[in-house]
Amino acid sequence: MTTSLHRRHFFLGALGAALGCARRDLRAFLAPRVSIIRAPSYNHDLTGMIRRILCEHRVAVAGKRILLKPNLVEFNAQAPINTNPILVSAAVEAFRSLGAASITIAEGPGHRRMTLDMADAAGFFSSIPRFEDLFVDLNTDDVQRVTLAHPVSTLKELYLPNTVFDCDLLVSLPKMKTHHWAGATLAMKNLFGVVPGSVYGWPKNILHWAGIDESIVDLHRLFPKQFAIVDGIEAMEGNGPILGTSKHVGVIVAGAHPPSVDATCCQIMGIDPAKIRYLRLIEEISAWNWKKTVQTGESIATVRSPFALHPDLVRLRP
Amino acid sequence: MTDAEQLQAMLLSARNTDGGWPSRRGRSWTEPTALALLALQGEHVSNEVRAITASWLCQRQSRDGGWPPCAAVSTSTWVTSLALLALAQEREYSSGCPKGAQWLSSHVYPELSMFRGFLQRGFGIAPSQAPGSSPWFPGTAGWVIPTAFGILALSCWITRLQNAGFQQAIERAQTYLLSRRCADGGWNHGGSLQRSETSPSYAETTGLALVALATVPASSLGSTLRFAQTLLDHPDSTEGVCWLLMGLAAHGFPRPATPMSIKPKTTQDVALHLITLQTLGGRNPFLQPAL
């Protein structure tokens, strides 16, 4: 009797432990994964790094139409305002080497109207072979009307460029920067650049009126197939996204779930993701929680480098 | 071939088969088409090209009197100013312009109500829809570029339409522009709540604002004209250089037409370059009264 009970207990215990482990494994398996890769400078093998990231995340690239969306804001090639064109060039090479059917680079800057002159001054023409053939100015691309199904913002519809819908994978390539309104501008905020200036102007003020954080969420939800690769090699701290100062972090942060990528970047920047309103909004409308993100490669602790914050944003510290 | 002839050829070769122009490629849009027509009006092009372009613009006018940026968009926007400027020299195609000018003047934000004025004076809360400013897209904040184009379009039509309301709108808009100068003396996109007052000026907005302030005495502009000349020493875009040259010329500081060091990349670039050459030759198409 005693022996039988012991056996039963042992068996049930073992079964419970196995189920527990399986649940943990399943949770870890289902949790969004974010890669943190050290990249000390733009002179390193960025193409190889991005290739490895894409393979690690099992991103389906072969035969797919890829749209790379960097952050191009200003003429200045020295200040860390724009996504570094060397990283964009590396992304082009990485996706090409993995068999992408086509690669388009597209952006619609939010302040200045002369996108191509800006891209030229910022080094995109010199860094990316055949840049002019690969590039689409989203501010002047042909548009279509898109109805927002369940908007968080006050937007009911948006006119958006055809190019952003003519792709199989939208790759957000933002610069890691502080932002005087949103707290941080990363993979999700980068999608403001898909809203066409030729319809809404420079800046795209309709998004401000509809609620910046809410608009970030609405734009994110319009594009279910995304991958994010954040340029955190030379980042921007202080009064970002334009007037801040350079901050060397030396990382690339990447993943298929932009909110998780952004939450990871925030932690690296010394910002509490729970205090970033657009991330909170995502939590409210989905089952996602930033704490469930699984980081691979470097740990957050080893690359954390708290950013100087504008006085209005010090409240975002953990 | 002269520079003007080359630019004209470039412009004509970029035209779509429907008679309008894209910015670079794709379908025709109101802005590049209106700028192309303005540029070609000062050149020796066939009447047929002008007529087809003017007709394209006429057909795009909305029922509310304004113009949408392209056929796919149903809302009238700031491009109404450009359509009004371009059609002002095409009398046969300008019957819709009085309604367009009305639409435009109704989108110059009015003076503040007593309550909002109190908030601004008492608490320094500046309204986004600042009096005298115009938005890019209806219902949003006012900005420098749409406001400046609004001034040019209403000024163009004021004599022909004899509308006293236009004069008030122009004066309010000019006051707005003068209030949104940056610390360096020029203009950027022009938001005050957007912390842009500490940002540096842009060449294109500075030049355009100077054209829109052509009737304002130089004494009101302080160091702005000198600053605009320094911006020309570091050209960053075709649009920037063109607007600076036009802005300086509007205030009696014509600069010789030097070869453009930056390659024009869009229809707007080519058209503005042609218009600038015409301006330096003595006739700025943006400052001509409607026929």
Side-chain angles (χ1 to χ4, degrees), chain A residues 75 111-114 116-117 132 135 141-142 159 180 198-199 201-202 205 209 312, chain B residues 24-25 27 29 31 69 72 74 136-137 140-141 189 195 202 204 236-237 239 265:
Chain A
F75 284 83
H111 285 102
R112 309 295 292 272
R113 288 161 45 81
M114 54 292 287
L116 286 168
D117 287 328
E132 208 165 345
F135 184 75
D141 192 28
D142 291 333
Y159 293 100
H180 55 225
S198 283
V199 177
W202 290 260
N205 192 224
W209 283 70
D312 293 352
Chain B
R24 194 155 161 253
R25 48 187 169 222
R27 297 193 187 119
W29 286 65
E31 182 194 346
S74 58
W136 293 98
F137 194 85
T140 57
H189 50 278
R195 299 200 179 133
Y202 305 153
E204 66 279 12
D236 58 15
S237 65
E239 201 173 324
K265 299 179 178 75

mmCIF file of all heavy atoms in Angstrom, chain A residues 75 111-114 116-117 132 135 141-142 159 180 198-199 201-202 205 209 312, chain B residues 24-25 27 29 31 69 72 74 136-137 140-141 189 195 202 204 236-237 239 265:
data_model
loop_
_atom_site.group_PDB
_atom_site.id
_atom_site.type_symbol
_atom_site.label_atom_id
_atom_site.label_comp_id
_atom_site.label_asym_id
_atom_site.label_seq_id
_atom_site.Cartn_x
_atom_site.Cartn_y
_atom_site.Cartn_z
ATOM 1 N N PHE A 75 19.361 66.289 -43.459
ATOM 2 C CA PHE A 75 20.495 66.277 -44.377
ATOM 3 C C PHE A 75 21.788 65.799 -43.707
ATOM 4 O O PHE A 75 22.630 65.212 -44.336
ATOM 5 C CB PHE A 75 20.744 67.690 -44.924
ATOM 6 C CG PHE A 75 19.772 68.106 -45.970
ATOM 7 C CD1 PHE A 75 18.532 68.636 -45.632
ATOM 8 C CD2 PHE A 75 20.084 67.986 -47.312
ATOM 9 C CE1 PHE A 75 17.627 69.028 -46.599
ATOM 10 C CE2 PHE A 75 19.187 68.382 -48.294
ATOM 11 C CZ PHE A 75 17.955 68.903 -47.939
ATOM 12 N N HIS A 111 9.757 66.087 -42.099
ATOM 13 C CA HIS A 111 9.935 67.534 -41.979
ATOM 14 C C HIS A 111 10.325 68.204 -43.283
ATOM 15 O O HIS A 111 9.870 69.287 -43.578
ATOM 16 C CB HIS A 111 11.011 67.848 -40.927
ATOM 17 C CG HIS A 111 10.525 67.655 -39.543
ATOM 18 N ND1 HIS A 111 10.841 66.548 -38.807
ATOM 19 C CD2 HIS A 111 9.732 68.415 -38.755
ATOM 20 C CE1 HIS A 111 10.253 66.643 -37.619
ATOM 21 N NE2 HIS A 111 9.580 67.756 -37.568
ATOM 22 N N ARG A 112 11.194 67.564 -44.029
ATOM 23 C CA ARG A 112 11.725 68.194 -45.239
ATOM 24 C C ARG A 112 11.123 67.518 -46.454
ATOM 25 O O ARG A 112 10.919 66.306 -46.476
ATOM 26 C CB ARG A 112 13.250 68.090 -45.268
ATOM 27 C CG ARG A 112 13.938 68.566 -43.994
ATOM 28 C CD ARG A 112 13.746 70.049 -43.754
ATOM 29 N NE ARG A 112 14.425 70.881 -44.713
ATOM 30 C CZ ARG A 112 15.696 71.305 -44.596
ATOM 31 N NH1 ARG A 112 16.400 70.952 -43.539
ATOM 32 N NH2 ARG A 112 16.224 72.083 -45.513
ATOM 33 N N ARG A 113 10.875 68.334 -47.488
ATOM 34 C CA ARG A 113 10.160 67.830 -48.656
ATOM 35 C C ARG A 113 11.074 67.198 -49.710
ATOM 36 O O ARG A 113 10.636 66.389 -50.514
ATOM 37 C CB ARG A 113 9.383 68.976 -49.302
ATOM 38 C CG ARG A 113 8.180 69.407 -48.493
ATOM 39 C CD ARG A 113 7.688 70.798 -48.883
ATOM 40 N NE ARG A 113 7.609 71.026 -50.306
ATOM 41 C CZ ARG A 113 6.596 70.622 -51.074
ATOM 42 N NH1 ARG A 113 5.582 69.976 -50.540
ATOM 43 N NH2 ARG A 113 6.589 70.891 -52.358
ATOM 44 N N MET A 114 12.338 67.600 -49.705
ATOM 45 C CA MET A 114 13.225 67.168 -50.789
ATOM 46 C C MET A 114 13.945 65.876 -50.400
ATOM 47 O O MET A 114 15.154 65.848 -50.123
ATOM 48 C CB MET A 114 14.202 68.271 -51.167
ATOM 49 C CG MET A 114 15.023 68.825 -50.022
ATOM 50 S SD MET A 114 14.088 69.729 -48.816
ATOM 51 C CE MET A 114 13.733 71.203 -49.714
ATOM 52 N N LEU A 116 15.042 63.168 -51.907
ATOM 53 C CA LEU A 116 16.217 62.636 -52.610
ATOM 54 C C LEU A 116 17.463 63.470 -52.351
ATOM 55 O O LEU A 116 18.555 62.922 -52.206
ATOM 56 C CB LEU A 116 15.927 62.537 -54.110
ATOM 57 C CG LEU A 116 14.986 61.393 -54.486
ATOM 58 C CD1 LEU A 116 14.519 61.526 -55.924
ATOM 59 C CD2 LEU A 116 15.652 60.040 -54.272
ATOM 60 N N ASP A 117 17.315 64.783 -52.274
ATOM 61 C CA ASP A 117 18.470 65.627 -51.942
ATOM 62 C C ASP A 117 18.981 65.284 -50.542
ATOM 63 O O ASP A 117 20.182 65.270 -50.282
ATOM 64 C CB ASP A 117 18.090 67.110 -52.000
ATOM 65 C CG ASP A 117 17.919 67.600 -53.434
ATOM 66 O OD1 ASP A 117 18.624 67.081 -54.320
ATOM 67 O OD2 ASP A 117 17.078 68.483 -53.663
ATOM 68 N N GLU A 132 19.109 55.017 -56.276
ATOM 69 C CA GLU A 132 17.983 55.719 -56.900
ATOM 70 C C GLU A 132 16.989 54.745 -57.539
ATOM 71 O O GLU A 132 15.795 55.013 -57.592
ATOM 72 C CB GLU A 132 18.510 56.718 -57.939
ATOM 73 C CG GLU A 132 17.579 57.897 -58.121
ATOM 74 C CD GLU A 132 18.210 59.056 -58.855
ATOM 75 O OE1 GLU A 132 19.448 59.088 -58.979
ATOM 76 O OE2 GLU A 132 17.453 59.941 -59.306
ATOM 77 N N PHE A 135 14.940 53.043 -54.569
ATOM 78 C CA PHE A 135 14.244 53.886 -53.596
ATOM 79 C C PHE A 135 12.886 54.391 -54.094
ATOM 80 O O PHE A 135 12.733 54.778 -55.248
ATOM 81 C CB PHE A 135 15.127 55.090 -53.256
ATOM 82 C CG PHE A 135 14.531 55.960 -52.175
ATOM 83 C CD1 PHE A 135 14.549 55.541 -50.857
ATOM 84 C CD2 PHE A 135 13.946 57.168 -52.478
ATOM 85 C CE1 PHE A 135 13.988 56.328 -49.855
ATOM 86 C CE2 PHE A 135 13.394 57.969 -51.491
ATOM 87 C CZ PHE A 135 13.408 57.551 -50.171
ATOM 88 N N ASP A 141 4.507 58.807 -53.451
ATOM 89 C CA ASP A 141 4.070 57.572 -54.105
ATOM 90 C C ASP A 141 2.544 57.628 -54.322
ATOM 91 O O ASP A 141 1.829 58.334 -53.600
ATOM 92 C CB ASP A 141 4.423 56.393 -53.188
ATOM 93 C CG ASP A 141 4.278 55.045 -53.865
ATOM 94 O OD1 ASP A 141 4.421 54.984 -55.097
ATOM 95 O OD2 ASP A 141 4.025 54.049 -53.163
ATOM 96 N N ASP A 142 2.054 56.878 -55.274
ATOM 97 C CA ASP A 142 0.601 56.789 -55.462
ATOM 98 C C ASP A 142 -0.035 56.167 -54.220
ATOM 99 O O ASP A 142 0.572 55.312 -53.567
ATOM 100 C CB ASP A 142 0.278 55.947 -56.698
ATOM 101 C CG ASP A 142 0.690 56.665 -57.977
ATOM 102 O OD1 ASP A 142 0.721 57.909 -57.963
ATOM 103 O OD2 ASP A 142 0.997 55.989 -58.966
ATOM 104 N N TYR A 159 -4.914 57.644 -46.111
ATOM 105 C CA TYR A 159 -4.385 57.384 -47.436
ATOM 106 C C TYR A 159 -2.948 56.922 -47.236
ATOM 107 O O TYR A 159 -2.171 57.581 -46.539
ATOM 108 C CB TYR A 159 -4.414 58.644 -48.299
ATOM 109 C CG TYR A 159 -5.817 59.087 -48.630
ATOM 110 C CD1 TYR A 159 -6.424 60.117 -47.917
ATOM 111 C CD2 TYR A 159 -6.539 58.466 -49.634
ATOM 112 C CE1 TYR A 159 -7.713 60.530 -48.208
ATOM 113 C CE2 TYR A 159 -7.832 58.863 -49.931
ATOM 114 C CZ TYR A 159 -8.415 59.896 -49.213
ATOM 115 O OH TYR A 159 -9.696 60.286 -49.509
ATOM 116 N N HIS A 180 11.000 63.576 -28.023
ATOM 117 C CA HIS A 180 10.471 64.499 -27.027
ATOM 118 C C HIS A 180 8.980 64.338 -26.744
ATOM 119 O O HIS A 180 8.470 64.909 -25.795
ATOM 120 C CB HIS A 180 10.822 65.956 -27.377
ATOM 121 C CG HIS A 180 10.391 66.386 -28.745
ATOM 122 N ND1 HIS A 180 11.212 67.094 -29.578
ATOM 123 C CD2 HIS A 180 9.254 66.196 -29.435
ATOM 124 C CE1 HIS A 180 10.572 67.344 -30.717
ATOM 125 N NE2 HIS A 180 9.395 66.800 -30.643
ATOM 126 N N SER A 198 2.588 64.228 -49.243
ATOM 127 C CA SER A 198 1.861 64.913 -50.314
ATOM 128 C C SER A 198 0.363 64.971 -50.040
ATOM 129 O O SER A 198 -0.346 65.768 -50.653
ATOM 130 C CB SER A 198 2.105 64.216 -51.657
ATOM 131 O OG SER A 198 3.370 64.563 -52.145
ATOM 132 N N VAL A 199 -0.104 64.130 -49.148
ATOM 133 C CA VAL A 199 -1.510 64.209 -48.752
ATOM 134 C C VAL A 199 -1.642 64.987 -47.447
ATOM 135 O O VAL A 199 -2.479 65.884 -47.322
ATOM 136 C CB VAL A 199 -2.122 62.799 -48.579
ATOM 137 C CG1 VAL A 199 -3.574 62.899 -48.104
ATOM 138 C CG2 VAL A 199 -2.049 62.018 -49.879
ATOM 139 N N GLY A 201 1.004 66.532 -45.513
ATOM 140 C CA GLY A 201 1.909 67.645 -45.241
ATOM 141 C C GLY A 201 3.172 67.247 -44.505
ATOM 142 O O GLY A 201 3.422 66.079 -44.216
ATOM 143 N N TRP A 202 3.974 68.288 -44.237
ATOM 144 C CA TRP A 202 5.262 68.124 -43.554
ATOM 145 C C TRP A 202 5.283 69.076 -42.362
ATOM 146 O O TRP A 202 5.438 70.274 -42.604
ATOM 147 C CB TRP A 202 6.397 68.454 -44.492
ATOM 148 C CG TRP A 202 6.630 67.501 -45.603
ATOM 149 C CD1 TRP A 202 7.585 66.529 -45.659
ATOM 150 C CD2 TRP A 202 5.944 67.431 -46.873
ATOM 151 N NE1 TRP A 202 7.531 65.861 -46.868
ATOM 152 C CE2 TRP A 202 6.533 66.391 -47.627
ATOM 153 C CE3 TRP A 202 4.888 68.148 -47.451
ATOM 154 C CZ2 TRP A 202 6.102 66.054 -48.910
ATOM 155 C CZ3 TRP A 202 4.467 67.814 -48.705
ATOM 156 C CH2 TRP A 202 5.065 66.777 -49.423
ATOM 157 N N ASN A 205 0.894 66.170 -39.598
ATOM 158 C CA ASN A 205 0.249 66.689 -38.398
ATOM 159 C C ASN A 205 -1.042 65.961 -38.042
ATOM 160 O O ASN A 205 -1.471 65.963 -36.879
ATOM 161 C CB ASN A 205 -0.002 68.180 -38.637
ATOM 162 C CG ASN A 205 -0.408 68.932 -37.403
ATOM 163 O OD1 ASN A 205 -1.320 69.741 -37.448
ATOM 164 N ND2 ASN A 205 0.240 68.676 -36.279
ATOM 165 N N TRP A 209 -2.742 65.141 -34.264
ATOM 166 C CA TRP A 209 -4.110 65.462 -33.839
ATOM 167 C C TRP A 209 -4.883 64.211 -33.451
ATOM 168 O O TRP A 209 -5.757 64.257 -32.595
ATOM 169 C CB TRP A 209 -4.844 66.237 -34.952
ATOM 170 C CG TRP A 209 -4.397 67.656 -34.996
ATOM 171 C CD1 TRP A 209 -3.175 68.110 -35.401
ATOM 172 C CD2 TRP A 209 -5.122 68.812 -34.587
ATOM 173 N NE1 TRP A 209 -3.105 69.469 -35.272
ATOM 174 C CE2 TRP A 209 -4.281 69.938 -34.780
ATOM 175 C CE3 TRP A 209 -6.403 69.025 -34.083
ATOM 176 C CZ2 TRP A 209 -4.682 71.242 -34.478
ATOM 177 C CZ3 TRP A 209 -6.803 70.322 -33.793
ATOM 178 C CH2 TRP A 209 -5.949 71.411 -33.985
ATOM 179 N N ASP A 312 11.710 66.871 -19.465
ATOM 180 C CA ASP A 312 10.294 66.470 -19.430
ATOM 181 C C ASP A 312 10.125 64.954 -19.415
ATOM 182 O O ASP A 312 9.032 64.448 -19.144
ATOM 183 C CB ASP A 312 9.553 67.003 -20.663
ATOM 184 C CG ASP A 312 9.457 68.514 -20.665
ATOM 185 O OD1 ASP A 312 9.835 69.125 -19.642
ATOM 186 O OD2 ASP A 312 9.033 69.073 -21.687
ATOM 187 N N ARG B 24 7.763 62.171 -59.530
ATOM 188 C CA ARG B 24 8.944 61.492 -60.079
ATOM 189 C C ARG B 24 8.502 60.402 -61.045
ATOM 190 O O ARG B 24 8.945 60.348 -62.167
ATOM 191 C CB ARG B 24 9.772 60.913 -58.933
ATOM 192 C CG ARG B 24 11.159 60.488 -59.316
ATOM 193 C CD ARG B 24 12.122 60.501 -58.145
ATOM 194 N NE ARG B 24 13.287 59.695 -58.420
ATOM 195 C CZ ARG B 24 13.537 58.510 -57.862
ATOM 196 N NH1 ARG B 24 12.688 58.014 -56.990
ATOM 197 N NH2 ARG B 24 14.624 57.845 -58.168
ATOM 198 N N ARG B 25 7.655 59.526 -60.562
ATOM 199 C CA ARG B 25 7.054 58.530 -61.449
ATOM 200 C C ARG B 25 5.696 58.168 -60.858
ATOM 201 O O ARG B 25 5.412 58.464 -59.708
ATOM 202 C CB ARG B 25 7.939 57.291 -61.588
ATOM 203 C CG ARG B 25 8.438 56.730 -60.287
ATOM 204 C CD ARG B 25 9.455 55.608 -60.532
ATOM 205 N NE ARG B 25 10.121 55.266 -59.285
ATOM 206 C CZ ARG B 25 11.414 55.019 -59.171
ATOM 207 N NH1 ARG B 25 12.202 55.084 -60.210
ATOM 208 N NH2 ARG B 25 11.951 54.702 -58.017
ATOM 209 N N ARG B 27 1.371 58.185 -61.031
ATOM 210 C CA ARG B 27 0.237 58.955 -61.544
ATOM 211 C C ARG B 27 0.469 60.455 -61.391
ATOM 212 O O ARG B 27 1.372 60.884 -60.678
ATOM 213 C CB ARG B 27 -1.029 58.546 -60.790
ATOM 214 C CG ARG B 27 -1.395 57.089 -61.013
ATOM 215 C CD ARG B 27 -2.800 56.774 -60.538
ATOM 216 N NE ARG B 27 -3.026 55.340 -60.627
ATOM 217 C CZ ARG B 27 -3.316 54.567 -59.584
ATOM 218 N NH1 ARG B 27 -3.453 55.091 -58.384
ATOM 219 N NH2 ARG B 27 -3.493 53.272 -59.750
ATOM 220 N N TRP B 29 -0.177 64.231 -60.135
ATOM 221 C CA TRP B 29 -0.606 64.887 -58.895
ATOM 222 C C TRP B 29 -0.788 66.376 -59.156
ATOM 223 O O TRP B 29 -0.206 66.932 -60.079
ATOM 224 C CB TRP B 29 0.442 64.677 -57.794
ATOM 225 C CG TRP B 29 0.470 63.281 -57.227
ATOM 226 C CD1 TRP B 29 0.800 62.139 -57.891
ATOM 227 C CD2 TRP B 29 0.150 62.893 -55.883
ATOM 228 N NE1 TRP B 29 0.708 61.059 -57.035
ATOM 229 C CE2 TRP B 29 0.316 61.490 -55.803
ATOM 230 C CE3 TRP B 29 -0.248 63.579 -54.738
ATOM 231 C CZ2 TRP B 29 0.086 60.771 -54.631
ATOM 232 C CZ3 TRP B 29 -0.472 62.864 -53.563
ATOM 233 C CH2 TRP B 29 -0.310 61.472 -53.512
ATOM 234 N N GLU B 31 0.187 69.056 -57.309
ATOM 235 C CA GLU B 31 1.326 69.941 -57.041
ATOM 236 C C GLU B 31 2.323 69.987 -58.198
ATOM 237 O O GLU B 31 2.612 71.078 -58.718
ATOM 238 C CB GLU B 31 2.034 69.541 -55.740
ATOM 239 C CG GLU B 31 3.186 70.473 -55.421
ATOM 240 C CD GLU B 31 4.142 69.951 -54.352
ATOM 241 O OE1 GLU B 31 3.804 68.984 -53.656
ATOM 242 O OE2 GLU B 31 5.231 70.520 -54.224
ATOM 243 N N PRO B 69 -4.993 66.625 -53.534
ATOM 244 C CA PRO B 69 -3.621 66.428 -54.025
ATOM 245 C C PRO B 69 -3.526 65.495 -55.229
ATOM 246 O O PRO B 69 -2.606 65.623 -56.038
ATOM 247 C CB PRO B 69 -2.875 65.841 -52.827
ATOM 248 C CG PRO B 69 -3.878 65.560 -51.778
ATOM 249 C CD PRO B 69 -5.174 66.186 -52.149
ATOM 250 N N ALA B 72 -6.890 60.077 -56.253
ATOM 251 C CA ALA B 72 -7.245 59.050 -55.271
ATOM 252 C C ALA B 72 -7.698 59.640 -53.939
ATOM 253 O O ALA B 72 -8.233 58.928 -53.104
ATOM 254 C CB ALA B 72 -6.047 58.125 -55.034
ATOM 255 N N SER B 74 -9.968 62.378 -51.727
ATOM 256 C CA SER B 74 -11.207 63.134 -51.906
ATOM 257 C C SER B 74 -11.214 64.475 -51.165
ATOM 258 O O SER B 74 -12.103 65.289 -51.378
ATOM 259 C CB SER B 74 -12.397 62.285 -51.439
ATOM 260 O OG SER B 74 -12.229 61.923 -50.086
ATOM 261 N N TRP B 136 -1.788 72.169 -43.884
ATOM 262 C CA TRP B 136 -1.567 71.324 -45.064
ATOM 263 C C TRP B 136 -2.863 70.574 -45.389
ATOM 264 O O TRP B 136 -3.244 70.462 -46.537
ATOM 265 C CB TRP B 136 -0.501 70.272 -44.777
ATOM 266 C CG TRP B 136 0.882 70.756 -44.548
ATOM 267 C CD1 TRP B 136 1.491 70.969 -43.338
ATOM 268 C CD2 TRP B 136 1.876 71.063 -45.543
ATOM 269 N NE1 TRP B 136 2.785 71.383 -43.532
ATOM 270 C CE2 TRP B 136 3.047 71.438 -44.872
ATOM 271 C CE3 TRP B 136 1.887 71.030 -46.937
ATOM 272 C CZ2 TRP B 136 4.220 71.800 -45.542
ATOM 273 C CZ3 TRP B 136 3.043 71.378 -47.606
ATOM 274 C CH2 TRP B 136 4.191 71.761 -46.917
ATOM 275 N N PHE B 137 -3.489 70.068 -44.333
ATOM 276 C CA PHE B 137 -4.679 69.217 -44.467
ATOM 277 C C PHE B 137 -5.751 69.829 -43.559
ATOM 278 O O PHE B 137 -5.449 70.169 -42.413
ATOM 279 C CB PHE B 137 -4.332 67.790 -44.018
ATOM 280 C CG PHE B 137 -5.333 66.747 -44.394
ATOM 281 C CD1 PHE B 137 -5.286 66.140 -45.638
ATOM 282 C CD2 PHE B 137 -6.336 66.365 -43.512
ATOM 283 C CE1 PHE B 137 -6.207 65.155 -45.985
ATOM 284 C CE2 PHE B 137 -7.264 65.393 -43.856
ATOM 285 C CZ PHE B 137 -7.195 64.783 -45.108
ATOM 286 N N THR B 140 -6.189 70.544 -39.264
ATOM 287 C CA THR B 140 -4.974 70.354 -38.465
ATOM 288 C C THR B 140 -4.302 71.722 -38.237
ATOM 289 O O THR B 140 -4.870 72.753 -38.580
ATOM 290 C CB THR B 140 -4.011 69.371 -39.163
ATOM 291 O OG1 THR B 140 -3.700 69.868 -40.462
ATOM 292 C CG2 THR B 140 -4.650 67.997 -39.304
ATOM 293 N N ALA B 141 -3.118 71.715 -37.665
ATOM 294 C CA ALA B 141 -2.447 72.974 -37.316
ATOM 295 C C ALA B 141 -1.988 73.734 -38.563
ATOM 296 O O ALA B 141 -1.905 73.171 -39.652
ATOM 297 C CB ALA B 141 -1.244 72.669 -36.431
ATOM 298 N N HIS B 189 9.691 74.591 -40.535
ATOM 299 C CA HIS B 189 8.300 74.235 -40.835
ATOM 300 C C HIS B 189 7.309 75.067 -40.040
ATOM 301 O O HIS B 189 6.183 75.265 -40.449
ATOM 302 C CB HIS B 189 8.061 72.746 -40.647
ATOM 303 C CG HIS B 189 8.547 72.217 -39.343
ATOM 304 N ND1 HIS B 189 9.867 71.889 -39.135
ATOM 305 C CD2 HIS B 189 7.920 71.989 -38.170
ATOM 306 C CE1 HIS B 189 10.019 71.452 -37.891
ATOM 307 N NE2 HIS B 189 8.853 71.511 -37.280
ATOM 308 N N ARG B 195 8.249 72.528 -30.523
ATOM 309 C CA ARG B 195 9.627 72.796 -30.130
ATOM 310 C C ARG B 195 10.512 73.103 -31.329
ATOM 311 O O ARG B 195 11.710 72.875 -31.314
ATOM 312 C CB ARG B 195 10.218 71.621 -29.359
ATOM 313 C CG ARG B 195 9.486 71.327 -28.095
ATOM 314 C CD ARG B 195 10.354 70.535 -27.160
ATOM 315 N NE ARG B 195 9.622 70.299 -25.937
ATOM 316 C CZ ARG B 195 9.534 69.138 -25.337
ATOM 317 N NH1 ARG B 195 10.151 68.114 -25.836
ATOM 318 N NH2 ARG B 195 8.856 69.021 -24.227
ATOM 319 N N TYR B 202 15.241 76.351 -42.398
ATOM 320 C CA TYR B 202 15.470 75.624 -43.638
ATOM 321 C C TYR B 202 15.598 76.649 -44.779
ATOM 322 O O TYR B 202 14.935 77.687 -44.761
ATOM 323 C CB TYR B 202 14.295 74.699 -43.971
ATOM 324 C CG TYR B 202 13.895 73.717 -42.904
ATOM 325 C CD1 TYR B 202 12.582 73.260 -42.842
ATOM 326 C CD2 TYR B 202 14.810 73.226 -41.970
ATOM 327 C CE1 TYR B 202 12.190 72.341 -41.882
ATOM 328 C CE2 TYR B 202 14.417 72.308 -41.008
ATOM 329 C CZ TYR B 202 13.101 71.873 -40.963
ATOM 330 O OH TYR B 202 12.710 70.967 -40.025
ATOM 331 N N GLU B 204 14.519 76.301 -47.898
ATOM 332 C CA GLU B 204 13.323 76.410 -48.744
ATOM 333 C C GLU B 204 12.213 77.203 -48.067
ATOM 334 O O GLU B 204 11.524 78.003 -48.712
ATOM 335 C CB GLU B 204 12.838 75.013 -49.163
ATOM 336 C CG GLU B 204 12.310 74.106 -48.068
ATOM 337 C CD GLU B 204 13.386 73.378 -47.270
ATOM 338 O OE1 GLU B 204 14.569 73.738 -47.412
ATOM 339 O OE2 GLU B 204 13.036 72.475 -46.487
ATOM 340 N N ASP B 236 21.744 73.030 -50.140
ATOM 341 C CA ASP B 236 21.518 71.613 -49.835
ATOM 342 C C ASP B 236 20.486 70.958 -50.750
ATOM 343 O O ASP B 236 20.366 69.745 -50.773
ATOM 344 C CB ASP B 236 21.146 71.418 -48.357
ATOM 345 C CG ASP B 236 19.909 72.196 -47.940
ATOM 346 O OD1 ASP B 236 19.171 72.658 -48.835
ATOM 347 O OD2 ASP B 236 19.674 72.335 -46.728
ATOM 348 N N SER B 237 19.734 71.778 -51.478
ATOM 349 C CA SER B 237 18.724 71.181 -52.356
ATOM 350 C C SER B 237 18.362 72.178 -53.450
ATOM 351 O O SER B 237 18.506 73.393 -53.278
ATOM 352 C CB SER B 237 17.463 70.832 -51.564
ATOM 353 O OG SER B 237 16.857 72.019 -51.075
ATOM 354 N N GLU B 239 15.347 72.826 -54.384
ATOM 355 C CA GLU B 239 14.204 73.597 -53.894
ATOM 356 C C GLU B 239 14.681 74.732 -52.984
ATOM 357 O O GLU B 239 14.194 75.862 -53.081
ATOM 358 C CB GLU B 239 13.258 72.648 -53.144
ATOM 359 C CG GLU B 239 11.851 73.177 -53.028
ATOM 360 C CD GLU B 239 10.874 72.162 -52.424
ATOM 361 O OE1 GLU B 239 11.008 70.951 -52.707
ATOM 362 O OE2 GLU B 239 9.991 72.576 -51.659
ATOM 363 N N LYS B 265 15.913 66.530 -59.159
ATOM 364 C CA LYS B 265 15.551 65.106 -59.059
ATOM 365 C C LYS B 265 14.058 64.849 -59.231
ATOM 366 O O LYS B 265 13.646 63.704 -59.355
ATOM 367 C CB LYS B 265 16.023 64.557 -57.709
ATOM 368 C CG LYS B 265 17.548 64.636 -57.525
ATOM 369 C CD LYS B 265 17.983 64.111 -56.170
ATOM 370 C CE LYS B 265 19.490 64.131 -56.008
ATOM 371 N NZ LYS B 265 20.053 65.478 -55.772
#
